[in-house]
Amino acid sequence: MTGSLYAKFEETFRRLPEKIALRTPAARTWTFAELAAEACRYANALEALGIEPGDRVTVQIDKSPANLFLYLAVLGAGGVYQPLNPAYTESETEYFVSDASPKIAVCAPARQRAMRDLGDRHQVQAVMNLDAEGMGSLADLAARMDARHQTVPRAADDLAGLVYTSGTTGRAKGAMITHDNLISNAEALVKLWRLQEGDTLLHALPVFHVHGLFVAINTALMAGAGILWFPKFDAASAMAHLPQATVLMGVPTFYTRLLEQKSFAKETCRNMRVFISGSAPLLAATHREFSTRTGHAILERYGMTETGMITSNPYDGAREAGSVGHALPGVSVRIRGEQPGVVEVKGPNVFKGYWRLPEKTAEDFTEDGYFITGDVGTLADDGRLAIVGRAKDLVISGGFNVYPKEIEVLLDEMEGVVESAVIGVPHPDFGEGVVAVLAVTDACADETVILGFLKHRLAGFKLPKRIFKVGELPRNAMGKVQKAALRERYREIFKTS
Ligand code: MCA
Ligand code: AMP
């Protein structure tokens, strides 16, 4: 039926109604038929709240099974899923809501009042809530609904998701992701990674970013794999449940934290088929240590919110440390000019453009239709890509993107701060740690005050882990702040021993 992603999932629901689709660590289970019934109840609830095809539904909640029901319901009702990190402050959240103009917003009960005020300011028709246990006004409404729902037809080019990601300018932009983007990408990955009914995916990623939301959920549901659904990643708990799983998808921090567990070994991974890593560079040292300890070569892949997955190491054959593998089937990757150079990508995976920003969209595509990623790479003759740097000013901390500009603008507002530079330097846990270097006068407040100021305005993962005050920032002949020199100066500060 049509181009709807949900219609693809329905094929699995019909094929495997009695099979366990979802399991929590506390052993609550849902079969695919039960999952479909929940998705239908939630879709009927959204329709009772007035959703129409193409309407955005902003979702800012803690991860629970109900989060999955809601995601499926938005798709089934023909809406556009618009996820937000619950760690965002009120002012961060207001920006997203004002830009996305959702018809419905779903938030944590503790945020209901603030979200309702915000909803009033931005014409949100309904504000509902769901807590970490999946209870709340939306769950109550869904429970009163019919467990059957007629899937709303969608065209391949219609939007399925609106996911915010910041550009080099620091202001977040909504990436318009279509049903076809998601279907083509998930189908390619299912094949490449050999996902199938016999698999169980240990799902511990957040579901407000593409990795946990689209890569993990869509592939598992299409393949008919079971999902072991964790509210968040905790190394000890993940380790305890690994023997029940066959697939793990994680950011590099998952793997370094698993390796820190003393008893993590081959035996823990006895039923595992594949460990997949992405969202940030996996250090070659982590790849090697993991392989020695477990006998598994982590399969690294590379992607972006705007493109879904672009390249992947092979399932069979060498999974090389430091390489992100070949372009997925149907996807073209190139580097124009000299290597290393900026990676460009074209294919059915590439998004439709930035929400309400046609000019910015045009800027980020080449004349012949390639999307300019801002990542710097080298492409070998055999088509293997290695990411060696970034042309964009971006820090990736534990898989979360932090845009220096967003923090610098706030720091520069503070009394006694002449100017600021926010950089990422090697961090043993998060890969990169956020550091702020401030050129200050005597009037500058102390670190606690600075952090307090930022904390009110920014989600916790964006806060600098260290702040340095200096007389002035290093500049090149053009007067531009030399962040590379700063990264070099502070590169050892998070070294453990
Ligand atoms: C949490 N904190 C962090 C991070 N996470 N600080 C820096 N970097 C982080 N990533 C801070 C919190 O603000 C908090 O500070 C304190 O650490 C404890 O918070 P908690 O939530 O308990 O942290 P955690 O459990 O240790 O989380 C670490 C984590 C998590 C498990 C690595 O960050 C995570 O799940 N990351 C995955 C991100 C992801 O899915 N990225 C994919 C996007 P305080 O105590 O001061 O409040 S990229 C993508 O989708 C593309 C398409 C791709 O290629 O995949
Ligand atoms: P996001 O905009 O949150 O989707 O993050 C996408 C960015 O994450 C990419 O542009 C890369 O900079 C980075 N990224 C994703 N996967 C990898 C990887 N395997 N190696 C290096 N960087 C990666």
Side-chain angles (χ1 to χ4, degrees):
M1 184 239 263
T2 72
S4 164
L5 173 63
Y6 188 76
K8 287 277 170 196
F9 298 153
E10 283 182 303
E11 291 172 16
T12 301
F13 302 159
R14 277 193 293 268
R15 187 162 57 87
L16 303 166
E18 302 306 324
K19 183 175 178 279
I20 299 295
L22 186 66
R23 190 152 38 95
T24 66
R28 257 210 83 183
T29 59
W30 288 261
T31 62
F32 280 108
E34 287 165 343
L35 182 60
E38 288 294 358
C40 289
R41 285 195 190 94
Y42 276 76
N44 285 320
L46 294 174
E47 284 179 0
L49 294 167
I51 193 175
E52 284 172 56
D55 282 341
R56 276 78 56 211
V57 179
T58 290
V59 178
Q60 189 179 38
I61 54 176
D62 291 319
K63 187 179 170 189
S64 72
N67 198 162
L68 179 58
F69 310 153
L70 177 56
Y71 166 60
L72 295 176
V74 173
L75 294 174
V80 179
Y81 194 75
Q82 201 286 290
L84 291 181
N85 187 340
Y88 289 142
T89 60
E90 230 171 286
S91 58
E92 288 173 304
T93 304
E94 174 143 25
Y95 168 74
F96 295 117
V97 171
S98 69
D99 194 68
S101 339
K103 168 86 63 80
I104 299 167
V106 185
C107 63
R111 282 207 174 203
Q112 171 86 20
R113 230 178 114 172
M115 188 62 102
R116 186 162 285 158
D117 289 348
L118 213 156
D120 287 344
R121 288 200 289 281
H122 300 286
Q123 290 82 48
V124 180
Q125 193 166 301
V127 174
M128 305 297 283
N129 62 60
L130 279 177
D131 68 14
E133 307 304 318
M135 314 290 267
S137 60
L138 186 62
D140 294 345
L141 181 62
R144 298 199 294 275
M145 295 287 151
D146 196 336
R148 287 159 306 170
H149 172 263
Q150 188 64 46
T151 301
V152 174
R154 295 271 75 196
D157 198 33
D158 283 333
L159 298 195
L162 183 66
V163 184
Y164 280 81
T165 174
S166 300
T168 42
T169 47
R171 250 313 189 202
K173 304 177 294 286
M176 298 192 285
I177 299 165
T178 68
H179 285 265
D180 190 47
N181 291 152
L182 298 177
I183 293 171
S184 65
N185 214 228
E187 283 179 344
L189 296 174
V190 166
K191 238 176 154 169
L192 203 70
W193 297 339
R194 312 262 171 94
L195 295 165
Q196 31 85 17
E197 291 169 37
D199 277 319
T200 299
L201 169 72
L202 196 158
H203 193 306
L205 285 160
V207 286
F208 44 77
H209 282 312
V210 163
H211 195 169
L213 182 65
F214 297 146
V215 183
I217 294 178
N218 295 355
T219 55
L221 291 183
M222 274 197 191
I227 305 182
L228 191 48
W229 187 260
F230 284 79
K232 60 182 294 222
F233 180 75
D234 170 76
S237 160
M239 199 180 96
H241 287 86
L242 265 184
Q244 298 167 35
T246 62
V247 181
L248 176 69
M249 297 184 194
V251 296
T253 301
F254 283 21
Y255 295 106
T256 49
R257 288 191 183 180
L258 282 172
L259 287 171
E260 277 166 15
Q261 303 286 309
K262 285 213 166 51
S263 53
F264 180 68
K266 276 199 174 76
E267 178 57 17
T268 330
C269 309
R270 59 187 177 273
N271 292 320
M272 284 297 292
R273 192 170 62 73
V274 63
F275 290 91
I276 300 169
S277 176
S279 306
L282 181 75
L283 292 181
T286 310
H287 194 280
R288 275 195 299 271
E289 192 188 343
F290 202 87
S291 166
T292 310
R293 285 268 288 278
T294 67
H296 283 272
I298 298 173
L299 189 159
E300 185 173 9
R301 68 15 168 222
Y302 157 67
M304 265 183 98
T305 300
E306 290 91 332
T307 62
M309 297 304 96
I310 302 170
T311 68
S312 170
N313 268 278
Y315 186 81
D316 292 319
R319 299 174 193 165
E320 277 176 26
S323 161
V324 292
H326 294 94
L328 300 193
V331 176
S332 307
V333 169
R334 73 178 183 193
I335 288 167
R336 271 197 299 179
E338 274 182 28
Q339 299 215 45
V342 173
V343 179
E344 297 179 350
V345 55
K346 190 175 185 173
N349 56 319
V350 177
F351 74 136
K352 201 171 168 171
Y354 292 115
W355 176 248
R356 295 175 174 164
L357 291 171
E359 280 165 20
K360 182 64 194 154
T361 304
E363 259 174 43
D364 285 354
F365 280 86
T366 64
E367 272 168 18
D368 59 347
Y370 277 74
F371 175 66
I372 306 164
T373 63
D375 292 308
V376 175
T378 55
L379 201 52
D381 289 342
D382 68 356
R384 275 177 191 264
L385 181 72
I387 302 296
V388 298
R390 286 175 213 136
K392 50 194 173 191
D393 192 13
L394 163 70
V395 180
I396 305 183
S397 170
F400 284 138
N401 288 4
V402 180
Y403 285 85
K405 189 85 194 156
E406 188 184 4
I407 305 166
E408 289 161 1
V409 166
L410 291 173
L411 288 168
D412 292 348
E413 271 177 32
M414 295 195 79
E415 201 189 340
V417 175
V418 180
E419 62 175 343
S420 60
V422 169
I423 54 171
V425 300
H427 188 287
D429 186 31
F430 293 124
E432 290 180 307
V434 177
V435 170
V437 187
L438 311 179
V440 295
T441 66
D442 291 343
C444 183
D446 67 22
E447 194 169 312
T448 321
V449 175
I450 297 172
L451 279 176
F453 172 81
L454 293 178
K455 218 172 188 160
H456 275 99
R457 292 160 177 84
L458 297 172
F461 69 87
K462 299 179 187 173
L463 298 179
K465 305 266 179 229
R466 295 286 298 275
I467 294 176
F468 293 96
K469 293 180 182 173
V470 296
E472 57 185 45
L473 299 176
R475 294 181 176 283
N476 65 15
M478 312 289 289
K480 197 169 176 295
V481 172
Q482 287 178 302
K483 288 201 167 178
L486 288 174
R487 281 192 289 268
E488 194 49 43
R489 188 187 301 170
Y490 297 108
R491 63 173 298 110
E492 304 274 333
I493 58 169
F494 293 122
K495 280 242 164 98
T496 34
S497 52

